[in-house]
Amino acid sequence: MRSRLATVALLLPAVVLVLVGFVYPYLTMLVAPAANPHPDVPGALVNAVTDPYVVDIVARTVRVAGMATVLSVAFGFPVAWAISRASARWRGALLLAVTFPLLLSTVVRSFAWIVLLGRDGLLSKALWAVGITSGPTQLLYTEFAMVLGLTQLFMPLLVLTAYSSLAGLDPTIEEAARGMGARGGAVFARVVLPLALPGTAVGAILVFAGCMTAYTTPSLLGGTRNRTLATLLYQEANTSLDWSAVSALAIIMTLLVLLVTMAMTRISAIGARR
């Protein structure tokens, strides 16, 4: 009984902070925005889901976030596996190299892509030199640019979470699987991957949520022709001042992230049981 009371006493300040600092303001914004004297969030939500312009932006946001998440998993998981198998001498340096970009400003990292993807940028010149394009190509202000920028921005999160799962695996498990006749591919697919799936799924959720809610990178690399939910929400909040529409967009964004989180959690649970 005393230990339970102690646990409640320790958790109570954090619970109060979350309720007062996050849950209450969030619910207030969604249900009755304070800046709007006559809020109509349900009506704005109906207008949003039936407006082809908003639906197109939602589809683009999900598409870009999904592609960035897939690329992050495809490139980040092998990096995490290589770091987990590196010697202790190199592991710290490799982890530092992965986490270092997180210390840089998002604006700085996005401007670096502007230099690379512009009409006179390095990538455009490289494609022209090898004959893929017939001249300088504007790769900036496209969905391709947004996917590249978001992948580079959030992939370190997936590497770190996947590494946490891979580093905890007992190497003798793989040795036992090889001793029973399993080959390298089978060991990876049927032993390593299922055990590392929970951490990788958490990383994928973080990447997708970050891509869905990112503003700076889509704004700088996508331009005004390739709006996402975050850039549209910013426009409604700072230009149109339509707080009911802002709340409706926030609801759509939150629901999409929750749906993907539930799906990834389910996939992770099924994979872990195999």
Side-chain angles (χ1 to χ4, degrees), residues 48-268:
V49 297
T50 56
D51 187 348
Y53 177 70
V54 177
V55 172
D56 182 63
I57 290 178
V58 171
R60 180 184 300 116
T61 305
V62 174
R63 183 167 60 248
V64 169
M67 293 174 63
T69 303
V70 171
L71 290 177
S72 297
V73 173
F75 290 99
F77 187 85
V79 172
W81 183 84
I83 296 176
S84 69
R85 295 299 181 268
S87 63
R89 176 183 178 183
W90 289 100
R91 196 174 301 165
L94 293 173
L95 286 174
L96 179 62
V98 170
T99 56
F100 179 75
L102 297 175
L103 305 179
L104 299 177
S105 169
T106 303
V107 177
V108 173
R109 296 162 71 181
S110 298
F111 268 110
W113 282 110
I114 293 177
V115 174
L116 292 174
L117 298 174
R119 182 176 293 275
D120 296 324
L122 179 62
L123 187 56
S124 176
K125 292 180 179 179
L127 294 176
W128 185 14
V130 299
I132 296 179
T133 59
S134 57
T137 303
Q138 178 65 278
L139 300 175
L140 197 59
Y141 308 129
T142 62
E143 290 188 18
F144 173 75
M146 288 194 292
V147 170
L148 283 183
L150 291 172
T151 301
Q152 188 262 347
L153 186 65
F154 292 107
M155 190 172 68
L157 299 178
L158 188 133
V159 174
L160 293 176
T161 54
Y163 167 78
S164 65
S165 294
L166 291 166
L169 297 182
D170 190 347
T172 59
I173 298 177
E174 298 180 44
E175 296 175 2
R178 294 189 184 94
M180 297 180 66
R183 297 183 178 180
V187 173
F188 180 82
R190 304 190 64 176
V191 178
V192 176
L193 187 58
L195 294 175
L197 191 57
T200 306
V202 171
I205 292 171
L206 293 176
V207 172
F208 183 84
C211 293
M212 283 288 298
T213 57
Y215 168 76
T216 304
T217 299
S219 179
L220 292 176
L221 302 184
T224 57
R225 294 184 178 180
N226 294 281
R227 293 192 182 279
T228 62
L229 274 173
T231 57
L232 179 61
L233 192 151
Y234 179 84
Q235 177 189 357
E236 294 291 342
N238 290 273
T239 304
S240 303
L241 300 178
D242 188 350
W243 292 101
S244 294
V246 171
S247 297
L249 294 174
I251 290 173
I252 294 173
M253 186 183 298
T254 303
L255 289 177
L256 289 173
V257 173
L258 287 177
L259 287 174
V260 172
T261 300
M262 293 170 61
M264 291 300 299
T265 302
R266 181 63 176 170
I267 293 173
S268 174

